[in-house]
Amino acid sequence: MKRTALNIIIFLLGATAGLFSAWVCSYRESPPAAEQQPLLENVMRHASTEIAAENYACEGSPVTTVGAVIASLLEINNTTSRNRLSYGCYNEVCTLSVSDCKPWQDQECSTRFLKFERDSQQQILPDSFSCLDMP
C-alpha cells in the first residue's frame, strides 16, 4: 500500500514537473535573426499591393491587399495571449503565418499564410504575393 502511494506521488510530481517545463518553454523567446527586421520592413513597403484573385485563397471577408492580410494575421494572433505569428524565408520563398492549432488538436485548427517570393538580389517580387488558409 505504501509502495503504491509512493509510486503515485512520484508519478504526479514527474507529470507536474513535465507540464510546468513544457509551459515555460512555450513562452521562451527565439533568438533574433539578422534578416527578420529588414524582411518585415520590405514587406510593409508593399502594404498597398493588391493580391491577384488567382493568388487569393483566404476565407472570411476579402482582404485583397498585402497590408490587409498582415492586419488579419495580427488580428488572428491577438485572440490569445501567446504569440503564434511566425515568419521567415527559405530558398527565396518567404511566409508570414499565424497558426490556430493547439498541441492537443489534430483537427479543426487552421493556419493563414501570406506568401511571397524574392529575386536573387533579395527584392520582393510584388506579383508573387498570395494569401491562403490551410484547414
Side-chain angles (χ1 to χ4, degrees):
M1 176 87 165
K2 287 183 182 181
R3 183 164 175 83
T4 303
L6 181 63
N7 285 340
I8 290 173
I9 290 172
I10 289 173
F11 173 77
L12 290 174
L13 287 173
T16 302
L19 288 171
F20 179 75
S21 65
W23 178 74
V24 168
C25 288
S26 73
Y27 281 100
R28 71 175 169 76
E29 290 185 21
S30 302
E35 74 173 49
Q36 287 182 342
Q37 183 175 352
L39 172 66
L40 291 177
E41 289 174 2
N42 286 335
V43 170
M44 291 309 296
R45 288 188 185 113
H46 295 276
S48 61
T49 301
E50 291 284 331
I51 298 175
E54 62 269 9
N55 293 337
Y56 187 81
C58 287
E59 295 180 3
S61 61
V63 286
T64 60
T65 64
V66 171
V69 172
I70 292 172
S72 75
L73 291 171
L74 294 174
E75 183 179 328
I76 294 168
N77 189 51
N78 199 32
T79 60
T80 63
S81 62
R82 291 193 181 177
N83 182 13
R84 300 168 293 146
L85 189 66
S86 63
Y87 53 92
C89 298
Y90 183 74
N91 288 342
E92 310 308 331
V93 176
C94 303
T95 60
L96 280 82
S97 66
V98 64
S99 176
D100 190 29
C101 297
K102 316 287 188 293
W104 59 86
Q105 284 182 309
D106 60 349
Q107 297 177 13
E108 297 183 15
C109 59
S110 62
T111 305
R112 176 166 286 185
F113 292 94
L114 173 67
K115 186 182 104 171
F116 57 93
E117 297 176 13
R118 298 188 300 183
D119 62 16
S120 58
Q121 286 79 34
Q122 305 301 311
Q123 298 300 314
I124 294 174
L125 302 172
D127 59 340
S128 69
F129 282 102
S130 62
C131 179
L132 63 123
D133 287 340
M134 298 291 288

